[in-house]
Amino acid sequence: MNIISQNTAFGGMQGVFSHQSEACKGEMTFAVFVPPQAITEPRPVLWYLSGLTCTHANVMEKGEYRRMAAELGLIIVCPDTSPRGNDVPDELTNWQMGKGAGFYLDATEAPWAENYQMYTYITEELPALIAKQFRADMSRQGIFGHSMGGHGAMSIALKHPDRFKSCSAFAPIVQPSTADWSAPALDKYLGSDKATWRRYDACSLVEDGARFSEFLIDQGKADSFLENGLRPWLFEEAIKGTGIGLTLRMHERYDHSYYFISTFMDDHLKWHAERLRK
């Protein structure tokens, strides 16, 4: 693991690191905030998955999570959204595909399958590195994210209910298999057999029997992607009768930006901390 930068913030450490990824066949960058409490004891880990076009830096610079994470004693891990590098396949004119748009899945189709193994990277490779390099209590993990990252967080939590004790999302893509800005990417990454897409679709996972205790979703009503891409009401409908808890908060005037995310970041951190204490 290489240190790119380390800065003191609220008594803790905000770091940016890189390492050679076996899953993604190249160098990957990620950010970690370590709270001051980790000096003396292992602390819970909260994973934040970013959205389309983002890197680790967007939430690190605009998410405003450090003050509350330091107060609550949470380690925050912010991975990149895709593999990077000159040899990694990309669609330069399509922001919904390729670099910055890994969709937290394991691609099976050429040319994407060689590098775009983000599901394995997020669920296996990077957690092993975090456990080795930081004073992290891996028995207490939560996961959240924004937009594409909200999709990633919810689908990963549904597949790993024994690992994650909490899951929340800002404006998540709850049904990527039918959303305008994700279905074309799933087709290219996974092929035309839509049955294989269901493993990465929160609504489909619930329909197929996956369960998680509860979710918190915040959504802006002024979000330009709400009607065609996000549609949280589809998840609300999918979980009826399943016993899955959902707190869905719809906010007037808020859009899809980090102004929205930073406004409700403290709420999410407190929500996770309460569940990670158990």
Side-chain angles (χ1 to χ4, degrees):
M1 188 178 77
N2 303 310
I3 300 172
I4 296 175
S5 65
Q6 287 183 311
N7 300 94
T8 300
F10 299 98
M13 184 277 297
Q14 176 65 68
V16 179
F17 308 92
S18 68
H19 71 117
Q20 285 296 316
S21 167
E22 294 183 8
C24 297
K25 304 294 190 296
E27 188 175 54
M28 295 292 287
T29 301
F30 62 97
V32 180
F33 176 74
V34 181
Q37 296 90 333
I39 295 173
T40 58
E41 62 178 351
R43 300 305 303 170
V45 179
L46 182 55
W47 296 81
Y48 179 89
L49 306 186
S50 292
L52 285 161
T53 76
C54 292
T55 68
H56 69 281
N58 296 74
V59 69
M60 186 180 75
E61 295 171 354
K62 298 183 287 186
E64 301 182 20
Y65 57 78
R66 278 174 288 272
R67 180 186 60 81
M68 185 56 65
E71 179 180 324
L72 297 170
L74 297 173
I75 294 174
I76 310 294
V77 181
C78 309
D80 202 349
T81 55
S82 76
R84 307 282 176 173
N86 294 332
D87 297 329
V88 173
D90 193 19
E91 290 189 1
L92 294 177
T93 60
N94 182 5
W95 61 275
Q96 299 169 342
M97 186 70 196
K99 294 177 187 177
F103 278 95
Y104 304 103
L105 51 77
D106 282 349
T108 57
E109 300 298 301
W112 313 102
E114 178 70 15
N115 303 99
Y116 287 79
Q117 300 295 305
M118 289 299 295
Y119 177 79
T120 294
Y121 177 70
I122 295 295
T123 61
E124 298 180 19
E125 186 175 19
L126 190 54
L129 185 64
I130 296 299
K132 179 180 179 180
Q133 297 288 346
F134 299 92
R135 192 166 286 151
D137 183 352
M138 302 303 281
S139 70
R140 293 187 290 165
Q141 295 186 67
I143 190 167
F144 69 148
H146 171 230
S147 194
M148 178 184 73
H151 134 72
M154 293 174 68
S155 60
I156 288 171
L158 282 162
K159 286 186 282 190
H160 297 276
D162 295 333
R163 179 186 305 185
F164 295 102
K165 296 181 178 296
S166 58
C167 181
S168 70
F170 301 100
I173 308 172
V174 301
Q175 196 177 76
S177 61
T178 62
D180 289 351
W181 61 349
S182 51
L186 297 189
D187 183 66
K188 292 176 182 178
Y189 284 136
L190 301 173
S192 58
D193 181 3
K194 293 185 178 181
T196 65
W197 302 9
R198 299 181 68 84
R199 293 174 292 170
Y200 304 105
D201 183 304
C203 289
S204 296
L205 283 165
V206 170
E207 291 169 1
D208 293 342
R211 296 292 181 265
F212 195 75
S213 56
E214 59 179 331
F215 295 90
L216 167 64
I217 295 176
D218 276 310
Q219 173 66 61
K221 288 187 176 182
D223 191 322
S224 60
F225 302 109
L226 178 59
E227 294 293 334
N228 295 323
L230 306 172
R231 306 167 298 166
W233 49 84
L234 295 180
F235 189 71
E236 191 174 32
E237 182 65 27
I239 65 171
K240 285 183 178 179
T242 64
I244 296 173
L246 173 63
T247 300
L248 173 59
R249 307 192 302 185
M250 303 293 295
H251 301 280
E252 299 286 350
R253 304 192 309 278
Y254 283 95
D255 58 18
H256 199 67
S257 71
Y258 268 91
Y259 296 109
F260 159 63
I261 296 168
S262 63
T263 299
F264 300 102
M265 179 62 77
D266 281 5
D267 288 357
H268 283 245
L269 296 181
K270 291 176 182 177
W271 194 84
H272 284 277
E274 181 180 346
R275 286 148 183 82
L276 294 175
R277 279 197 292 266
K278 300 176 182 179

